[in-house]
Each structure stands twice: as C-alpha cells, then as structure tokens.
C-alpha cells in the first residue's frame, strides 16, 4: 500500500451500519392490533431483502474505493547482485553463398537458428547484431531485450545488402557498436563462409583496431569448401557455386584479438561452437537490479464502480419509491 493510513477510513463502517440499523427499526410504520399471531408467520418480502442488499452494495463500493485510494501495489525492489555477464556483438554473413544447402535447410537459416538460441540463453548480457555481405549494416544496438534480438535475427533476409563478403567492414562495424558498452568483457562473434572480397577495411586492420579497443573476436568458418549446390527458395532452379573459407585470415583475426577460431562443417558442430563460446564469454559483474512498482488499484476501482452501478439500477428500478 502506498497510503496505508487511508485504510482507517474503513472505520466509517461502524457509524454507517449503526445508522442503518437505527433507521431501519424506526422507519417502518406501526399499527396497534390485539394479536400478531395471524401475521407472525408471513415471509419477509423479497423487496426488503433487496433493500438490505443495496446497503451492502453501498458498503462494498465505499470499501473498495477506500482500498483503491490507498494504492495497493507491488513494492519496488532495488538490490545489487553479482551475475555473469558481458557485451557481445554478433556479426553474421548474409552473402549469397550462405544459401548453400550443406546445412539443413541452408547455412543461413541454420546460423540464424543457432544464433537465436544462443541469444535466448544469455539472460544478463548486452548483445548487438551486425550483418554483412558486400557491405555491412548495424541491425541492433547493444541491448538485453532478448525478445527484440531474436525478432531481429528472425527478420534478417538475404539480399538486403549488395552481394559479396566484406569481412573487414563487418568486423569494424561490430567494433564500433560494441565500444559503447559498459561491461569489462567485450567480444564479437563473427560468422562467415567465405573469403574477404569486398569492402573498404582489410580484415587484418579491423582485427588490429579490435585488439586496441580490448575487444576479443571469435571467428567461425561455417560450411564445407568446394562446389556447393544452391536452390532458389521456390525449388524451381538450382546452381552450383565454389565456396572457400579463408581459414588463415579468420585464424589471424582470432589470434590478434586473443580470441579463438572455430570450424563448423554442419549444424551439430555449429551448435557446439556456440555452446563453447557461451561457456567462455562470461565475466562476473556487479549489477544493480531495480524492480518497478506495479499498481493494483484498478480491480478495486472497478469493483467500486460495479457495486455503485448495480445499487443505482436496483434503487431506481425495482426499489423505486413512488411519491
């Protein structure tokens, strides 16, 4: 209760009930007769019962209104706790080769699915999202809103960016996004299936900038090398493309930033990669948690309005007095 002192107004019930009992006893007309036996067993009129019910409705309306004014609520809680948390940015390759079907159903969809599950499990982390193909795009800033992140990942579409594989641009966009975070531990998970062939920033330069900013980069090479079949979404046509992961460059990025390189040739391995990163990327943080106040006066206000409305309906219809 925000104003518990207002509950003392419920003591008004005492004079109100006393007044009603006194009024009821003295309001009925009387007639002197020799004997009351002929009328002693007559039942009480239903209108009399309704009249008492109307008084109860008035009491309920008054009581509910007093409780509503007292503002019942769930109290605020502010406490400091130690949690495992960090800042993470996911940098996902959405180039055309990610539609290869050596994963089920494609590399792109498998990567999105695993990334979404990874995000869902990181309850205390701030996570951002960057995508890249022939250019890079920052999709989500650092946030701990897991539902918004999962929704953003689900809404990523291939073809939103010019085709190509700009690993350096994707990495530098992720670095620019993560440096705004407050956590001591900052890391980027970069997932690609190709070789840098577009963009303005060389991967080695982006890796050096990440190292200078204290950002650790985990690189994931996804898919198999060689000729891969790609079928259009409607299944009408298919083409074959040559894919090759630049493992040397990805390993160099990881080593430069004190991260780690992973090779994921199928979805099971990709899941294990994210599980390993999940176990690695945790640091102890002191977090102030604040629970906001939830107001609970509305049900009481509704009860007061409903009781008073029902009282008025009975008072001016069934129990209406004719002058």
């Amino acid at each position: 209760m925000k104003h518990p002192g207002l509950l003392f107004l419920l003591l008004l019930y005492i004079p109100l009930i006393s007044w009603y009992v006194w009024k009821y006893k003295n309001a009925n007309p009387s007639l002197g007769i020799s004997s009351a036996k002929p009328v002693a067993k007559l039942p009480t009129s239903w209108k009399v019962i309704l009249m008492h019910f109307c008084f109860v409705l008035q009491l309920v309306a008054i009581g509910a209104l007093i409780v509503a004014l007292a503002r019942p609520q769930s109290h605020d809680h502010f406490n400091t706790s130690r949690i495992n948390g960090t800042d993470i940015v996911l940098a996902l390759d959405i180039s055309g080769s990610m539609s290869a079907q050596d994963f089920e159903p494609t590399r792109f969809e498998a990567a999105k699915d695993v990334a979404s599950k990874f995000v869902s499990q990181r309850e205390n982390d701030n996570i951002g999202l960057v995508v890249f193909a022939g250019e890079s795009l920052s999709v989500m800033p650092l946030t701990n809103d897991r539902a918004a992140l999962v929704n953003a990942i689900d809404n990523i579409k291939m073809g939103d960016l010019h085709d190509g594989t700009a690993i350096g641009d994707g990495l530098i966009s992720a670095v620019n996004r993560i440096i705004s975070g407050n956590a001591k531990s900052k890391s980027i998970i970069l997932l690609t299936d190709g070789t840098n062939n577009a963009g303005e920033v060389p991967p080695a330069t982006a890796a050096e900038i990440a190292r200078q900013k204290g950002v650790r980069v985990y690189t994931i090479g996804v898919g198999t090398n060689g000729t891969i079949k790609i079928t259009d979404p409607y299944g009408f046509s298919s083409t074959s493309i040559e894919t090759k992961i630049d493992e040397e460059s990805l390993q160099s990025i990881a080593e430069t930033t004190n991260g780690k390189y992973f090779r994921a040739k199928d979805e099971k391995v990709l899941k294990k990669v994210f599980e390993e990163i999940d176990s690695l990327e945790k640091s102890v943080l002191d977090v102030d948690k604040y629970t906001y106040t939830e107001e609970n006066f509305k049900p009481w206000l509704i009860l007061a309005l409903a009781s008073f409305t029902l009282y008025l309906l009975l008072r001016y219809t069934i129990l209406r007095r004719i002058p």
Side-chain angles (χ1 to χ4, degrees):
M1 293 289 181
K2 187 172 184 178
H3 307 295
L6 290 177
L7 294 180
F8 283 108
L9 291 175
L10 293 174
L11 294 175
L12 290 173
Y13 276 173
I14 297 174
L16 287 175
I17 295 173
S18 300
W19 172 81
Y20 181 79
V21 173
W22 176 84
K23 179 184 176 182
Y24 177 73
K25 288 184 176 180
N26 294 278
N28 294 325
S30 60
L31 177 66
I33 57 176
S34 59
S35 175
K37 288 183 179 181
V39 294
K41 295 182 179 181
L42 290 177
T44 302
S45 171
W46 61 272
K47 286 192 175 184
V48 173
I49 297 175
L50 271 184
M51 182 181 66
H52 296 321
F53 179 66
C54 282
F55 178 66
V56 172
L57 287 176
Q58 293 179 76
L59 294 179
V60 170
I62 293 171
L65 182 60
I66 290 173
V67 173
L69 291 174
R71 296 276 296 277
Q73 56 189 207
S74 301
H75 293 291
D76 299 350
H77 294 284
F78 189 84
N79 62 341
T80 300
S81 59
R82 298 182 69 85
I83 63 170
N84 290 322
T86 184
D87 289 338
I88 299 174
V89 170
L90 298 175
L92 302 181
D93 185 350
I94 61 169
S95 60
S97 58
M98 287 292 287
S99 60
Q101 295 167 318
D102 50 347
F103 282 64
E104 182 63 36
T106 64
R107 294 176 181 176
F108 177 64
E109 293 299 331
K112 282 176 42 174
D113 180 63
V114 175
S116 294
K117 292 177 180 177
F118 173 80
V119 166
S120 299
Q121 295 170 356
R122 308 289 296 199
E123 296 184 5
N124 301 313
D125 298 326
N126 289 320
I127 302 179
L129 177 63
V130 169
V131 296
F132 64 93
E135 54 189 336
S136 64
L137 176 66
S138 180
V139 178
M140 283 287 290
L142 289 172
T143 178
N144 57 13
D145 188 340
R146 289 175 293 161
L149 280 164
V150 171
N151 187 58
I153 293 172
D154 289 342
N155 288 330
I156 296 173
K157 298 289 189 298
M158 296 187 66
D160 289 344
L161 301 175
H162 294 299
D163 203 15
T165 307
I167 296 176
D169 284 13
L171 179 54
I172 203 66
S173 293
V175 171
N176 290 333
R177 178 59 70 189
I178 203 170
I179 58 177
S180 63
N182 297 320
K184 294 180 180 179
S185 175
K186 300 179 185 298
S187 56
I188 294 171
I189 300 174
L190 187 146
L191 184 150
T192 183
D193 70 341
T195 301
N196 189 77
N197 57 18
E200 300 178 355
V201 182
T205 302
E208 180 59 28
I209 294 173
R211 185 192 66 78
Q212 293 175 2
K213 298 294 184 180
V215 179
R216 187 173 297 170
V217 182
Y218 293 97
T219 54
I220 302 175
V222 59
T224 55
N225 290 324
T227 303
I228 301 297
K229 179 181 178 182
I230 297 178
T231 304
D232 72 86
Y234 304 101
F236 295 132
S237 62
S238 63
T239 57
S240 296
I241 63 171
E242 188 74 21
T243 63
K244 182 179 180 181
I245 300 171
D246 189 354
E247 294 192 74
E248 183 178 346
S249 177
L250 295 178
Q251 287 174 343
S252 176
I253 292 172
E255 291 174 1
T256 300
T257 60
N258 198 29
K260 190 174 181 180
Y261 170 67
F262 298 91
R263 185 76 168 88
K265 295 184 178 181
D266 55 49
E267 188 173 1
K268 291 182 179 179
V269 176
L270 183 60
K271 289 180 179 179
K272 290 181 180 179
V273 167
F274 271 90
E275 288 174 1
E276 183 171 345
I277 292 174
D278 183 67
S279 66
L280 290 173
E281 281 309 309
K282 291 182 181 179
S283 59
V284 179
L285 303 173
D286 289 328
V287 177
D288 292 328
K289 291 188 176 181
Y290 176 76
T291 303
Y292 64 90
T293 301
E294 183 178 356
E295 297 285 352
N296 298 317
F297 69 88
K298 288 184 179 180
W300 294 97
L301 190 59
I302 293 172
L303 177 61
L305 291 174
S307 299
F308 189 67
T309 300
L310 182 56
Y311 160 74
L312 291 178
L313 288 174
L314 294 175
R315 177 66 179 79
Y316 291 99
T317 55
I318 298 175
L319 299 177
R320 181 170 175 264
R321 293 182 179 180
I322 301 175

